[in-house]
Amino acid sequence: MSSIETGRRVLNIEARTLTALAESLDASFDEAVRILEGCKGKVVLTGMGKSGIICKKIAATFSSTGTPAFFLHPAEGAHGDLGVLSQGDVVVALSNSGESSELVDLLPLINRMKLQLISVTGGAASTLARRADVVLLVKVDDEACPLNLAPMASTTGALAMGDALAAALMEVRGVSAEDFAQVHPAGALGRRLTLRVEDLMVGADGVPRVDETEPMREAICVITEKGLGFTGVFGKGGELKGIITDGDIRRGFQKDYSFLDHSSGELMTEGPKTVPGDTLAVDALRLMEAHNITSLF
């Protein structure tokens, strides 16, 4: 079998795993979301080996989408790290077999603290499943490993289940883009979600402006002085009436030089596009691109 064929076989097995997992979701998923939504403390994810790595990713996804969560190594938990658990926490335990000894050893302590336990496992009759309040079954017929030994399809399924829980929690809690931005302030993502028009705009003193009664000659002088390629045209009460751009002036010269003797109000484009100052910059940019304009009030 060629490398490409092996790759396709792996991806097909994992794709079938996810399809089957989606079709198998039942009331247990709803119950798990309900428990997580009602969590008064932290969501603590725990699992050994590859399951532990998946736990770390799910914990990071939960935390970044409005559900405080972290990973507890089950072996370290038995040597003092269980002290991080407190009343109100919810534990999510991952184990494909449901019999990982380090994880099973923690279950009596978790039950003794009366913490709710959600298990993500492929073993429906396993110790982990029997001790859990809710069981999310992630069962695979075959791992994608050529030896059918290394966890591949099972970890993909567990990871996807974690994403499904996180997404459902976001919808239940009504997490908005603004909420998401609060925990993603850095990098391109943070700038896209936090940078607003008021952070970038030219202030009132820098806005080119002419009165609607002033002649076009004055408008040209203002556009040249401010260097922004346009001027706003304002009424006597200070309200924005229209806009005159460099392009308007070029087109005016092409038609008739006498346009310079007309008032700005006569030749302006009425109703220029506007946005509130608290508009996200990325949304303002989309508006500008949609209307093929380079300035926005």
Side-chain angles (χ1 to χ4, degrees):
M1 185 178 292
S2 70
S3 296
I4 291 177
E5 289 173 329
T6 299
R8 285 175 178 159
R9 182 187 65 80
V10 169
L11 295 175
N12 284 329
I13 289 174
E14 298 200 356
R16 288 196 297 271
T17 295
L18 296 183
T19 298
L21 186 58
E23 294 173 351
S24 71
L25 285 189
D26 56 20
S28 295
F29 185 82
D30 274 335
E31 179 64 11
V33 172
R34 186 194 66 76
I35 289 173
L36 291 168
E37 181 192 10
C39 177
K40 303 301 183 183
K42 311 169 295 295
V43 176
V44 181
L45 288 107
T46 185
M48 280 297 296
K50 305 299 186 296
S51 292
I53 295 172
I54 298 301
C55 283
K56 292 179 182 179
K57 192 276 177 185
I58 296 174
T61 299
F62 276 5
S63 293
S64 70
T65 54
T67 301
F70 67 90
F71 170 66
L72 170 65
H73 195 293
E76 298 297 332
H79 291 274
D81 282 5
L82 274 177
V84 301
L85 295 178
S86 57
Q87 293 301 316
D89 291 346
V90 172
V91 178
V92 180
L94 273 66
S95 171
N96 185 37
S97 68
E99 300 293 349
S100 298
S101 59
E102 297 88 348
L103 191 56
V104 169
D105 288 345
L106 295 185
L107 298 182
L109 302 173
I110 293 171
N111 294 151
R112 193 176 306 153
M113 292 183 68
K114 296 184 177 4
L115 302 183
Q116 289 186 294
L117 174 64
I118 299 170
S119 70
V120 180
T121 180
S126 65
T127 303
L128 177 58
R130 292 197 308 271
R131 294 288 188 91
D133 295 288
V134 178
V135 179
L136 298 177
L137 196 62
V138 180
K139 187 173 178 56
V140 298
D141 295 326
D142 298 294
E143 293 288 3
C145 166
L147 302 176
N148 197 28
L149 295 175
M152 293 183 181
S154 58
T155 49
T156 297
L159 178 63
M161 181 65 79
D163 287 341
L165 288 170
L169 276 170
M170 288 179 71
E171 290 193 347
V172 168
R173 289 177 171 162
V175 176
S176 65
E178 289 74 17
D179 297 327
F180 192 77
Q182 295 303 312
V183 291
H184 295 80
L189 177 62
R191 289 193 297 274
R192 183 170 69 85
L193 290 172
T194 59
L195 197 62
R196 300 185 181 276
V197 167
E198 59 196 3
D199 300 321
L200 300 171
M201 67 185 185
V202 174
D205 293 339
V207 175
R209 55 190 300 139
V210 293
D211 189 278
E212 62 181 332
T213 61
E214 293 183 278
M216 282 298 298
R217 297 177 186 276
E218 178 61 23
I220 292 174
C221 291
V222 171
I223 292 173
T224 302
E225 177 187 350
K226 294 294 187 178
L228 296 180
F230 74 94
T231 183
V233 182
F234 292 80
K236 292 182 179 180
E239 71 278 13
L240 177 65
K241 303 290 288 288
I243 185 173
I244 298 172
T245 68
D246 282 340
D248 293 329
I249 294 170
R250 288 194 300 273
R251 288 185 288 274
F253 272 121
Q254 288 176 336
K255 292 179 180 178
D256 185 0
Y257 281 96
S258 66
F259 88 99
L260 291 175
D261 297 324
H262 289 270
S263 69
S264 297
E266 290 178 289
L267 298 178
M268 69 183 182
T269 298
E270 296 182 359
K273 301 299 179 185
T274 64
V275 292
D278 61 357
T279 302
L280 289 174
V282 66
D283 291 335
L285 178 60
R286 291 194 188 104
L287 177 62
M288 294 167 72
E289 290 174 339
H291 293 280
N292 194 28
I293 56 177
T294 58
S295 302
L296 190 63
F297 286 97

